[in-house]
Amino acid sequence: MATETAELPAGPAVARRSPGRIALRRFLRHRSAQVGLVLLTAWVVLAVFAPWIAPYEPNELVSRARQAPSADHWLGTDHLGRDLLSRVIHGARISLVLGFVSVIFGLVPGATLGLVAGYAGGRVDAVISRLIDAMLAFPSIILALIIIATLGPGILNVMIAVGVASVPEYARLMRGQVLAARTQPYVEAAWLVGNDPARIMGRHIFPNANGPLIVFATLQVGNAILVGAGLSFLGLGAQPPTAEWGLMSAEGRDVLARAWWISTFPGLAILSVVVAFNLVGDGLRDAVDPRTRPA
Amino acid sequence: MTAPPLLEVADLRLHFPLGGGFAFGRRGTVKAVDGVDFRLEAGRTLGLVGESGCGKSTLGRAVVGLETPTSGSVTLGGRNLAARSRAERDADRRRMQMIFQDPFSSLNPRMTVGQTLAEPIRLHGLREGPGVAARVRELLGLVDLPEGARDRYPHEFSGGQRQRIGIARALACEPELVVCDEPVSALDVSIQAQIMRLLKRLQDELGVAYLFIGHELGVVRQVSDEIAVMYLGQIVERGAGRTLFREARHAYTRALISAAPIPDPRLERLRRRIILKGDPPSPIDPPSGCPFAGRCPVAIPRCHAERPPLERFGPDHAVACWRAGETPELLPILAQGAPARDGTSG
Amino acid sequence: MSALLSIRDLEVTFATEAGPLPAVQGVSLDVAPGETLAIVGESGSGKSVTMLSLLGLLPAGAARARQVVFDGQDITALDEARLRGLRGREIGIVFQDPMTSLNPVLTVGRQLTEMFELHQGLSRGAARAAAVETLSLVGMPSPKERMATYPHQLSGGMRQRAMIAIAVACRPKLLIADEPTTALDVTIQAQILDLIARIQEELGMGVIMISHDLGVVAGVADRIAVMYAGRIVEIGPIDAVFDAPRMPYTSGLLASVPRYDLDADMPRSIPGTPPDPLARPSGCAFRPRCAEARAACAASPPPALRPAGPPPHEAACILVGEERERT
């Protein structure tokens, strides 16, 4: 019955276009994502090559304290006489690492909990969901403060605190996605053709449910950097003499009127990184879910 | 003793409690499937027809194991599926597959067609090494898709083509029974016929049995050796595919036939519709008598009081209606004086 | 008798990311008062878009027509406000899914009385009386009580009745029904088709029934227009088209409907799939799927249909011309 042979969509241009690639193309064409990506790339390059790019060592005493921005010290010097530009560049390393690591600390356990709760259902879901609800009852900053209070101050503890505080958000998001995906006919078909639960979750549900999770995680990197800097500002995170943006802002706090640059430039650095992650996250969201894209 | 049929369903019931949450208490029971019996021989097709909410899809899903029956049994090749160990059930899952109604949500959008088809072959060890790829090519050929389809993603295909992929996935498991849940309802007419012919050809070539669920009488009539009509979770009439819609005796079946339009304007003008009053009652705590009694234009007091059993009415024909003997006179489908078309003209 | 509605050379083009998408090309048709014209086609054939464009329900600039005359008035020139007045008062619309076209936060009664207050300037009390009367016209049981119900409290069939009540509230001259029974079960479909026919007779409306179901169409239509790939490919009186279709697509479509009333074999199928509207073949769009196709079919589009005059049976196919020469 050759006459019934279905024809393929014509044209070589459509060959091998996976849904992931289509989303990637949409993302790369997204205007604000492009801006965010450029900004982010700049910060990553600065962070990675900080020792070569920065004019001085971050803790080197190079000049008199509290010198205003000048040709020698573009961003001026801090209250001890260290070069502020060098410290801001080195600070990017800590902030970026802190952002990514704390997101991983939140994402991995959160997504796993959500996946298991959503797929298993029943009593397992009830237990996990109650746990999530209980954690969500606290504002995440309070949760982070409680964890820091228990573990003690320090940059690693900040990452753990910020990460763990966001676990319930990831878990709730993932669970909702899984609940929507698990009743899809292709998931039922996957069970019928003989997949075990682990493969159904890993190969059939997760790849189709992770879009919103990726978007949220991206936005969350910016948020984690902000919270991390806030904790350091309060003296609960990085300790002197670390070149950390939140701590640096705190160090300039008392002399804000005489030496505005000491607090301002680290603050602007935080702002630009957070904005970059938000722009990229917006772009990802529109790429993953084209319905929200303005026409 | 004769060999057991491929599939035997006995007194199957699926009841769902309503209301859920502990704070609200139970508000009733949905009797989606309420005491269904049938058997299906290898290589044959049983059509299940009925309107939405009659339980036909739930029944199909229970047969393949996507729903857990409240009571009753599903027996495949003489072995009761409920009574066996988990490992045995997993092995038997392969033998029953399903084709879904919606061609757009029944394929994993992140997997290529080749990956989708190779997965069951690998999972069950049906082929080894290069044999897997060869089998995928063979499957694509079986459903008339070109080899190039292998590396493409579902979104690149039309509805009819996706339905072919779904059929190929079911066949990849080398099943003995395929439950077809409204497989052509979402397709355009010209594509519907393609898929129906494909299913028929595959049955002839591979000897697979179909449980074919549908709501369009014409589609079900054309693919089925035997047809069962469902109403409110029960089979109310059963008969040979060729003759049931001509010789229907249940009042509901006759109303259904009279309401189903025929693409022939001259014939349509001669027909008399049995317009049923109201909507189908919900399967929440259905009536105790005949499920159709409330809407039946010819119901008698006994219909409300007593549930009629499904009784034989001639060879290959069974009806659950107290008035089965009188319905052709009580509920004529053609207007007076119209020539009875029995289809020898075609 | 002059036509109630007369469309000439309607073109609808949507702007898409991949370029302009011609949804409807050169459609012309007439509807007489009191007649039922069925527009039949598969998904993407442009059957729904044709009617939406008529009502000004498409994005601005998408639709263009040489002429659209409704009840003696050229409506291509009307502004949005006048068109809105026409919609609802003179032209009633029934959609496939009443759940999305009824307002979920207003009662059925309020949505009906609104029609009378808006279009006929009735007082609150008079509008209420008219609404109850309309609900009983569409066979709504206990219409007075139903005034206070919300759409979600009704069953699918009752919702469609409410939708029809709103559509015919102002006694329109034309009712456009876009797949009005597709979402319904067959016994409910029979109720609704019966209802539309009854109201049509009572009010003397013209009806345009858009459907993919040839069975439904066979039972209700006086004339039928078959659409394929944005064009009308065949139009004529219902019996003539069903008895002797002239365009291979129409005969293919008729042969692919499975019959439950005949001992016929499996339905024949039309090979292939409808063309991508962004890449339609040259000449006749059905050519790649047509068993009768020849070289000339690729050369130019089939001859245009003559819409005027007494209702003829026409098909946009070169076979028709050849047939004429032979006889």
Side-chain angles (χ1 to χ4, degrees):
Chain A
M1 225 169 287
T3 51
E4 284 187 10
T5 300
E7 282 151 45
L8 281 178
V14 294
R16 287 215 66 131
R17 280 179 56 178
S18 73
R21 274 194 208 196
I22 291 171
L24 181 70
R25 257 177 59 154
R26 228 183 276 135
F27 170 66
L28 291 176
R29 280 194 200 155
H30 194 277
R31 190 58 55 81
S32 71
Q34 289 170 348
V35 175
L37 219 50
V38 166
L39 208 54
L40 203 58
T41 313
W43 275 117
V44 170
V45 168
L46 285 178
V48 170
F49 300 104
W52 295 276
I53 294 172
Y56 304 97
E57 288 294 312
N59 289 323
E60 198 183 340
L61 297 176
V62 293
S63 170
R64 283 189 296 115
R66 293 192 294 276
Q67 282 209 323
S70 65
D72 288 339
H73 302 288
W74 292 358
L75 303 185
T77 62
D78 71 357
H79 64 299
L80 296 178
R82 296 172 291 194
D83 179 53
L84 206 54
L85 176 63
S86 305
R87 287 181 66 76
V88 166
I89 292 173
H90 277 271
R93 298 185 134 189
I94 292 180
S95 285
L96 287 176
V97 167
L98 179 137
F100 283 112
V101 172
S102 46
V103 160
I104 288 168
F105 281 166
L107 175 68
V108 174
T112 311
L113 279 176
L115 198 58
V116 170
Y119 185 74
R123 213 169 292 169
V124 177
D125 181 30
V127 170
I128 295 177
S129 292
R130 289 301 90 75
L131 193 75
I132 294 172
D133 288 345
M135 287 179 79
L136 281 172
F138 293 93
S140 60
I141 185 75
I142 305 284
L143 209 56
L145 282 172
I146 294 172
I147 296 167
I148 290 276
T150 315
L151 300 175
I155 197 78
L156 179 66
N157 291 349
V158 165
M159 295 185 213
I160 294 172
V162 173
V164 171
S166 63
V167 163
E169 300 269 4
Y170 289 107
R172 188 177 59 167
L173 188 63
M174 189 76 222
R175 177 174 172 274
Q177 289 293 311
V178 171
L179 284 182
R182 64 171 287 178
T183 53
Q184 292 289 313
Y186 66 81
V187 175
E188 297 187 330
W191 180 81
L192 280 173
V193 301
N195 285 284
D196 55 35
R199 260 185 74 94
I200 292 176
M201 281 192 273
R203 200 155 159 66
H204 294 274
I205 293 181
F206 185 71
N208 290 293
N210 63 12
L213 205 70
I214 293 171
V215 173
F216 181 68
T218 309
L219 297 169
Q220 197 61 29
V221 175
N223 193 39
I225 290 173
L226 199 61
V227 173
L231 289 170
S232 293
F233 185 90
L234 296 174
L236 300 172
Q239 299 300 318
T242 318
E244 199 280 340
W245 293 342
L247 182 62
M248 287 157 67
S249 292
E251 286 165 352
R253 186 175 35 177
D254 295 336
V255 292
L256 200 57
R258 279 173 293 152
W260 54 270
W261 54 90
I262 301 182
S263 286
T264 305
F265 288 115
L268 285 176
I270 296 170
L271 178 76
S272 76
V273 172
V274 173
V275 165
F277 276 107
N278 279 314
L279 290 175
V280 170
D282 281 350
L284 276 176
R285 186 182 52 218
D286 293 347
V288 169
D289 182 6
R291 274 168 304 175
T292 60
R293 197 171 29 150
Chain B
M1 203 181 122
T2 54
L6 173 68
L7 175 71
E8 182 157 19
V9 167
D11 200 24
L12 195 73
R13 286 166 207 272
L14 278 100
H15 295 179
F16 304 102
L18 256 192
F22 57 92
F24 301 102
R26 278 176 49 158
R27 278 184 288 185
T29 307
V30 179
K31 298 185 173 175
V33 177
D34 199 21
V36 163
D37 300 82
F38 67 82
R39 27 171 64 202
L40 173 58
E41 304 290 340
R44 306 272 291 172
T45 299
L46 172 66
L48 277 180
V49 68
E51 297 179 277
S52 51
C54 73
K56 57 191 191 298
S57 283
T58 311
L59 175 56
R61 293 166 57 82
V63 165
V64 295
L66 285 172
E67 306 278 354
T68 311
T70 311
S71 67
S73 66
V74 175
T75 311
L76 186 72
R79 296 187 298 176
N80 187 346
L81 296 182
R84 279 173 308 124
S85 74
R86 201 192 163 114
E88 280 177 308
R89 261 208 312 277
D90 282 353
D92 272 337
R93 220 197 291 163
R94 180 188 64 76
R95 300 169 60 202
M96 295 185 293
Q97 290 301 312
M98 185 148 165
I99 302 168
F100 296 84
Q101 172 173 3
D102 180 4
F104 290 88
S105 60
S106 58
L107 298 173
N108 185 338
R110 301 278 171 155
M111 284 166 74
T112 63
V113 172
Q115 288 167 338
T116 293
L117 298 185
E119 185 175 59
I121 304 172
R122 290 214 177 86
L123 285 172
H124 296 291
L126 296 171
R127 299 285 190 286
E128 300 286 326
V132 176
R135 175 66 178 156
V136 168
R137 273 199 300 280
E138 194 184 343
L139 287 166
L140 288 173
L142 267 179
V143 298
D144 293 321
L145 282 173
E147 260 185 50
R150 202 188 54 193
D151 298 323
R152 290 169 181 257
Y153 287 88
H155 71 92
E156 299 177 56
F157 295 89
S158 67
Q161 290 168 331
R162 288 183 207 210
Q163 210 54 314
R164 290 173 192 269
I165 300 166
I167 293 169
R169 172 180 58 198
L171 295 178
C173 295
E174 299 172 26
E176 291 150 68
L177 170 70
V178 175
V179 173
C180 309
D181 188 4
E182 306 247 16
V184 300
S185 300
L187 305 175
D188 275 323
V189 185
S190 71
I191 310 299
Q192 265 190 3
Q194 291 178 4
I195 299 298
M196 287 167 62
R197 296 181 77 103
L198 174 67
L199 287 172
K200 193 79 197 158
R201 176 167 63 78
L202 291 171
Q203 183 166 57
D204 293 343
E205 284 177 22
L206 307 171
V208 58
Y210 293 138
L211 181 61
F212 191 99
I213 297 160
H215 69 276
E216 277 173 275
L217 304 192
V219 172
V220 174
R221 154 76 178 80
Q222 290 297 338
V223 299
S224 306
D225 300 304
E226 205 192 359
I227 295 172
V229 181
M230 284 187 75
Y231 191 81
L232 273 195
Q234 300 172 19
I235 290 177
V236 295
E237 183 156 17
R238 199 171 61 205
R242 290 204 157 269
T243 54
L244 178 69
F245 292 139
R246 215 156 51 211
E247 294 164 2
R249 287 196 169 261
H250 196 286
Y252 173 66
T253 314
R254 294 189 71 83
L256 197 64
I257 293 168
S258 85
I262 295 174
D264 181 336
R266 293 177 200 282
L267 207 53
E268 279 287 300
R269 282 194 285 273
L270 295 173
R271 274 151 51 88
R272 179 185 291 180
R273 294 215 194 288
I274 304 164
I275 302 279
L276 294 176
K277 296 257 179 333
D279 301 307
S282 80
I284 305 166
D285 298 323
S288 56
C290 171
F292 185 57
R295 288 174 89 199
C296 181
V298 296
I300 50 176
R302 189 184 189 185
C303 302
H304 295 280
E306 229 181 308
R307 177 169 160 177
L310 191 63
E311 279 183 335
R312 282 184 64 139
F313 206 97
D316 311 324
H317 193 178
V319 191
C321 177
W322 292 122
R323 307 196 77 181
E326 316 156 71
T327 45
E329 291 75 43
L330 290 170
L331 297 168
I333 289 171
L334 288 175
Q336 292 265 303
R341 276 228 202 174
D342 61 11
T344 35
S345 62
Chain C
M1 192 169 193
S2 70
L4 172 65
L5 172 73
S6 164
I7 301 176
R8 293 292 173 273
D9 298 328
L10 176 72
E11 308 268 339
V12 179
T13 309
F14 295 115
T16 70
E17 268 181 35
L21 184 149
V24 173
Q25 292 176 294
V27 161
S28 302
L29 55 83
D30 286 350
V31 184
E35 118 174 302
T36 300
L37 172 72
I39 302 182
V40 163
E42 299 181 276
S43 44
S45 62
K47 59 186 190 300
S48 292
V49 172
T50 299
M51 286 305 129
L52 292 180
S53 68
L54 183 68
L55 297 163
L57 293 178
L58 293 179
R64 255 198 356 258
R66 189 156 58 80
Q67 191 189 52
V68 179
V69 175
F70 175 74
D71 201 22
Q73 182 185 20
D74 190 339
I75 64 170
T76 46
L78 291 189
D79 57 23
E80 170 54 28
R82 302 282 299 279
L83 215 51
R84 206 180 313 128
L86 209 60
R87 266 192 329 251
R89 196 178 64 236
E90 308 269 337
I91 304 177
I93 318 160
V94 176
F95 289 108
Q96 172 179 342
D97 183 2
M99 213 42 200
T100 57
S101 24
L102 290 173
N103 187 335
V105 299
L106 294 183
T107 62
V108 170
R110 182 69 200 119
Q111 295 184 57
L112 256 174
T113 51
E114 204 169 50
M115 295 297 292
F116 292 109
E117 290 168 18
L118 205 72
H119 292 299
Q120 299 186 342
L122 294 190
S123 70
R124 202 105 201 208
R128 203 185 142 72
V132 172
E133 194 195 314
T134 310
L135 281 183
S136 57
L137 174 73
V138 299
M140 191 79 93
S142 44
K144 271 211 179 84
E145 287 80 72
R146 291 303 163 100
M147 291 285 285
T149 53
Y150 288 90
H152 70 91
Q153 295 170 310
L154 297 172
S155 69
M158 284 302 147
R159 244 178 255 148
Q160 200 56 292
R161 281 177 197 267
M163 180 88 213
I164 292 171
I166 293 170
V168 302
C170 299
R171 321 236 147 187
K173 297 193 175 88
L174 178 67
L175 179 74
I176 296 176
D178 188 356
E179 304 263 9
T181 59
T182 302
L184 303 174
D185 277 321
V186 63
T187 58
I188 309 297
Q189 167 172 281
Q191 294 174 355
I192 297 295
L193 293 177
D194 192 52
L195 171 69
I196 292 176
R198 195 165 52 73
I199 295 177
Q200 177 177 24
E201 201 166 307
E202 214 160 297
L203 305 183
M205 304 181 293
V207 173
I208 296 178
M209 173 80 73
I210 300 164
S211 181
H212 72 282
D213 190 326
L214 289 162
V216 166
V217 164
V220 303
D222 301 310
R223 283 197 305 138
I224 177 175
V226 181
M227 288 192 73
Y228 186 77
R231 292 177 191 276
I232 294 183
V233 294
E234 182 152 5
I235 188 166
I238 185 94
D239 285 7
V241 173
F242 273 73
D243 288 347
R246 290 188 180 162
M247 162 84 189
Y249 174 66
T250 312
S251 43
L253 203 59
L254 284 168
S256 60
V257 183
R259 298 283 291 261
Y260 67 86
D261 60 320
L262 299 179
D263 270 341
D265 281 336
M266 276 290 228
R268 275 196 284 132
S269 61
I270 304 175
T273 49
D276 179 353
L278 290 169
R280 287 195 185 125
S282 65
C284 174
F286 185 60
R287 172 170 58 84
R289 301 175 74 188
C290 183
E292 317 254 2
R294 53 205 66 184
C297 297
S300 62
L305 300 170
R306 295 168 307 169
H313 177 192
E314 289 221 47
C317 180
I318 59 165
L319 292 177
V320 177
E322 289 175 12
E323 209 174 89
R324 260 196 216 111
E325 274 161 37
R326 271 203 304 275
T327 53

